[in-house]
Amino acid sequence: MAVPLTLGAAGDAGAAGDRPIVFARYTAAASIEDLYTISSSGGTPVKLTHTSTVSDVMPSWSPDGKRVAFVRYGSGGAIDGIWSMKITGGDLKAVPGTKGASDPAWSPDGKRIAYSKPVGTQREIYVADIDGTPATRLTHTAADDLHPTWSPDGTYLAFNRADAGGHSRLMRIKLSTLAQKAITASGSHDWTPDWSRNNRIAFSRVDSSGFARLYRVRPDGTGLRRITSARLNDKYPSWSPDGSRLVFTRGGADDADPEHLYLVRADGTGLTQLTKTDSHDMQADWRP
C-alpha cells in the first residue's frame, strides 16, 4: 500500500532548490525493506510503502517527479519484477516482462525504462517502453551488466560490467547502434554509476585503500576525480538535479554497522549526514 507524500518541516520551508530524495530502508528489527522519502534539506523521512511480506528497493523517479519505479521481491529472495506507483499514493502498476529484473532507470523523456535482467547465468541490459513493450535486449556478454543510467539526451546508457574475476568497470552503449565503449579500465572495481545533467558520471569504486569511495568521470573516460576519501564505504551515488551535489550511502567496515544517507558537493566539500536512525538506508534517488 502506498501513502501520500508529505515532506517534513524542513521541506515545507520551501528552500530554494530543495527536492525530495527517495530511498530504501530496513532495520535489524524489520528486515522487510520499504521506500521512504526525505527532504534534501533534512527532516523526518516519510514512509511510502507498507508491505509485510515483500520488499521494495531500487527506486527511480520519473522525470516529472510524479511516479517512482522500483523493484519488488519476496521473502524468499525471488524478484517479482519492476513496479511503478504515484508518489501521491496508489495506482500501483507492474511493468510486464520484468520478472527477475532489477536496477530500473527512467529515461529523460519519461517514455522508457532501462533495467538489468537475467539471461541464463548472466544479467544483461534491456530497455522497454514504460508499459513493458517492446523490450529490447542491448547487451550480449558472458559478464553481468548492471545498474544502467541514462545520458541527459537519452542517446546513451552507462552501466557497470562485472566479470567472473570479481572486477567491474564502467561501460557506455549508444542505443541507436549498440556500439559499446569502456569508460574505466579493466581490473577496476567500479559500481553503480549515475549520469548527471551536466554530463558527469559518479560511481562507487573500491580503490587501493580497500574501501568504496565516490569518484566522478566524464563519459569519455577523462577527468577522473575522487570525491570522498573516508575509511568507510560510500556507494549508490545519485546527482542532484543541477549536478552540484550527490546523495549517497555511507556504511562502516562491518556489514552489521548502520548505513546512512549523506550529501556532498561534487568537489568533495560540504559533507552532511542526512539520515541518523539505526537503520540501513540505501539506493537513494534525487527527484529531478
Side-chain angles (χ1 to χ4, degrees):
M1 162 173 101
V3 295
L5 168 63
T6 54
L7 295 178
D12 294 337
D18 182 34
R19 305 272 183 113
I21 291 164
V22 64
F23 64 97
R25 165 179 284 182
Y26 73 93
T27 66
S31 58
I32 296 295
E33 293 166 290
D34 280 302
L35 301 183
Y36 290 74
T37 60
I38 187 170
S39 166
S40 57
S41 60
T44 302
V46 175
K47 194 172 185 179
L48 295 184
T49 59
H50 298 71
T51 53
S52 59
T53 59
V54 296
S55 287
D56 297 331
V57 296
M58 300 180 179
S60 174
W61 287 102
S62 64
D64 62 7
K66 294 180 179 179
R67 296 186 71 86
V68 171
F70 60 95
V71 171
R72 173 163 284 181
Y73 69 92
S75 57
I79 299 176
D80 186 34
I82 297 171
W83 295 68
S84 75
M85 69 176 183
K86 286 184 178 179
I87 197 63
T88 53
D91 196 27
L92 186 67
K93 295 180 180 179
V95 179
T98 61
K99 187 174 180 62
S102 63
D103 304 323
W106 225 302
S107 66
D109 63 6
K111 297 178 180 179
R112 295 172 293 171
I113 192 163
Y115 53 88
S116 174
K117 184 178 177 180
V119 180
T121 59
Q122 276 74 44
R123 300 187 72 85
E124 308 288 358
I125 303 298
Y126 282 74
V127 66
D129 290 347
I130 195 60
D131 65 0
T133 57
T136 302
R137 180 177 169 183
L138 302 183
T139 61
H140 299 74
T141 71
D144 284 320
D145 291 340
L146 304 157
H147 206 88
T149 178
W150 295 82
S151 64
D153 62 4
T155 60
Y156 288 89
L157 288 170
F159 58 94
N160 65 263
R161 172 166 289 165
D163 63 30
H167 301 108
S168 179
R169 67 195 303 189
L170 301 191
M171 304 288 298
R172 78 169 194 256
I173 185 169
K174 189 171 185 177
L175 273 70
S176 61
T177 65
L178 302 188
Q180 298 181 38
K181 183 177 180 180
I183 300 173
T184 58
S186 61
S188 300
H189 296 85
D190 300 339
W191 304 89
T192 60
D194 190 59
W195 202 322
S196 74
R197 289 185 180 179
N198 57 4
N199 223 26
R200 295 292 184 272
I201 296 173
F203 61 99
S204 178
R205 166 176 284 185
V206 180
D207 59 21
S208 58
S209 70
F211 292 92
R213 293 167 167 175
L214 299 191
Y215 283 73
R216 59 184 171 90
V217 68
R218 296 187 184 98
D220 63 2
T222 64
L224 180 68
R225 297 288 185 274
R226 191 180 70 216
I227 300 172
T228 62
S229 57
R231 296 184 65 79
L232 294 163
N233 290 311
D234 297 339
K235 50 193 177 181
Y236 304 118
S238 173
W239 288 103
S240 62
D242 64 1
S244 66
R245 293 188 294 167
L246 291 151
V247 60
F248 65 98
T249 292
R250 169 166 286 182
D254 192 304
D255 288 343
D257 291 342
E259 297 172 291
H260 298 126
L261 299 186
Y262 281 74
L263 304 178
V264 69
R265 295 191 187 101
D267 63 1
T269 64
L271 183 69
T272 304
Q273 186 172 345
L274 192 60
T275 61
K276 301 178 181 179
T277 59
D278 188 11
S279 57
H280 295 265
D281 300 337
M282 302 177 295
Q283 302 159 347
D285 193 38
W286 209 315
R287 180 174 175 173

